[in-house]
């Protein structure tokens, strides 16, 4: 007897940003496979006898590799269990949710996709930065920051990105120098405002601002690390007018 799998976005960090449907799935699940950036408070809504399996990934350390996650999802569902794959942000925004859904479809296991609020929109909002604005930005892009030209892994169309008003870079702290140089080389002004939001929407949120030319050095000066969202565009300037969230004090390294 086949069970059922929910692939759910847990939101950007603040547990109150979890959707109602996401909460329902957590409360119903027999087993929960959760990622590193899922707020632990969200897991308190699980049933007392629910099995919790950590699947976190970070540089150099993986809780479960992706193929193993696929196997566990299928095996648990084939035991007739209600299975929850819980991901930070949205499962279809750099969350590999589509790959997991394809594996489930191939195995004949029914599933449901539950969207979540993604950090590329939520973290800037908590920092007082709108990703679009009537006066500053009519276009917005969400981009992975992993690609490195020196490793022949850079698939980004930098000339096109340089024309977009607001660009949000995920997973990009370690690659910030390459990102800024590539945007500038393809026509983006060196003085374009930029912001980095660390631990967005959480009690540990910190935001620093600078320009495309200075932000890589600013990150080092302030000791910013992952998870962080990098935002490039004139909308960063709006922060001075509408910043509302009380942030952690900056501690210089």
């Amino acid at each position: 007897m086949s069970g059922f799998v929910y692939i759910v976005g847990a939101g950007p960090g603040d547990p109150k940003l979890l959707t109602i449907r996401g909460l329902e799935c957590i409360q119903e699940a027999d087993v929960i496979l959760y990622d590193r950036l899922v707020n632990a408070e969200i897991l308190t809504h699980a049933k007392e006898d629910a099995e919790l399996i950590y699947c976190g990934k970070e540089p150099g350390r993986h809780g479960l590799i992706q193929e193993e996650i696929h196997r566990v999802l299928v095996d648990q569902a084939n035991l007739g269990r209600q299975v929850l794959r819980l991901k930070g942000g949205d499962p279809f925004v750099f969350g590999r949710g589509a790959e997991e859904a394809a594996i489930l479809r191939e195995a004949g296991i029914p599933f449901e996709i539950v969207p979540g609020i993604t950090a590329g929109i939520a973290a800037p909002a908590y920092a007082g930065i709108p990703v679009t604005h009537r006066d500053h930005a009519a276009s917005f892009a969400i981009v992975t920051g992993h690609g490195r030209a020196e490793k022949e892994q850079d698939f980004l169309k930098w000339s096109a990105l340089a024309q977009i008003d607001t660009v949000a870079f995920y997973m990009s702290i370690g690659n910030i120098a390459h990102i800024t140089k590539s945007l500038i080389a393809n026509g983006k002004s060196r003085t374009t405002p930029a912001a980095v939001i660390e631990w967005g929407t959480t009690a540990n949120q910190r935001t620093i601002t600078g320009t495309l030319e200075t932000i890589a050095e600013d990150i080092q000066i302030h000791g910013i690390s992952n998870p962080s969202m990098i935002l490039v565009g004139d909308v960063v300037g709006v922060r001075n007018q509408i910043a509302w969230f009380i942030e952690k004090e900056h501690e210089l390294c």
Side-chain angles (χ1 to χ4, degrees):
M1 177 180 176
S2 178
F4 196 93
V5 176
Y6 303 98
I7 301 177
V8 177
D14 185 339
K16 293 182 179 179
L17 296 180
L18 177 70
T19 66
I20 293 174
R21 182 56 184 150
L23 175 61
E24 291 173 344
C25 295
I26 291 170
Q27 293 171 333
E28 296 168 4
D30 299 314
V31 57
I32 300 175
L33 289 77
Y34 65 99
D35 283 347
R36 179 173 69 97
L37 296 182
V38 172
N39 191 307
E41 186 176 333
I42 289 176
L43 297 174
T44 64
H45 297 290
K47 297 188 297 187
E48 288 188 6
D49 61 347
E51 180 181 358
L52 304 181
I53 301 174
Y54 178 66
C55 301
K57 298 174 183 176
E58 53 188 301
R61 291 190 296 174
H62 288 183
L64 287 177
I65 62 173
Q66 192 64 38
E67 291 75 14
E68 179 69 3
I69 292 172
H70 294 168
R71 186 189 65 77
V72 174
L73 289 174
V74 172
D75 288 351
Q76 291 292 327
N78 281 332
L79 291 174
R81 307 182 82 184
Q82 300 293 299
V83 183
L84 171 61
R85 179 70 176 101
L86 191 60
K87 300 171 174 288
D90 180 274
F92 278 10
V93 179
F94 306 126
R96 305 190 72 169
E99 297 172 45
E100 293 166 0
I103 291 293
L104 295 170
R105 176 58 54 83
E106 183 179 344
I109 295 169
F111 60 88
E112 176 183 341
I113 308 296
V114 180
I117 299 173
T118 187
I121 296 171
Y126 268 53
I129 303 171
V131 295
T132 64
H133 190 286
R134 183 175 180 179
D135 297 325
H136 302 291
S139 57
F140 170 53
I142 289 176
V143 181
T144 175
H146 272 328
R148 293 178 181 268
E150 62 270 23
K151 293 185 178 181
E152 299 183 354
Q153 294 175 343
D154 195 343
F155 305 112
L156 298 179
K157 296 179 174 61
W158 291 107
S159 59
L161 286 177
Q163 303 302 313
I164 294 174
D165 295 323
T166 307
V167 185
F169 289 94
Y170 290 60
M171 305 166 287
S172 51
I173 289 295
N175 207 17
I176 183 61
H178 174 57
I179 289 169
T180 55
K181 289 177 182 178
S182 296
L183 287 173
I184 291 170
N186 282 275
K188 202 75 167 176
S189 171
R190 297 175 181 272
T191 61
T192 302
V196 183
I197 308 152
E198 179 186 59
W199 287 106
T201 79
T202 74
N204 291 320
Q205 176 174 308
R206 292 196 301 166
T207 301
I208 63 169
T209 59
T211 67
L212 200 55
E213 186 173 40
T214 68
I215 200 66
E217 183 178 356
D218 295 334
I219 287 172
Q220 291 187 340
I221 291 173
H222 290 280
I224 300 295
S225 60
N226 285 313
S228 291
M229 180 64 55
I230 297 174
L231 207 70
V232 177
D234 289 342
V235 290
V236 171
V238 180
R239 171 175 164 79
N240 295 329
Q241 305 167 26
I242 63 172
W244 61 274
F245 186 72
I246 299 175
E247 296 191 355
K248 178 181 178 182
E249 292 290 333
H250 291 193
E251 299 175 358
L252 301 185
C253 291

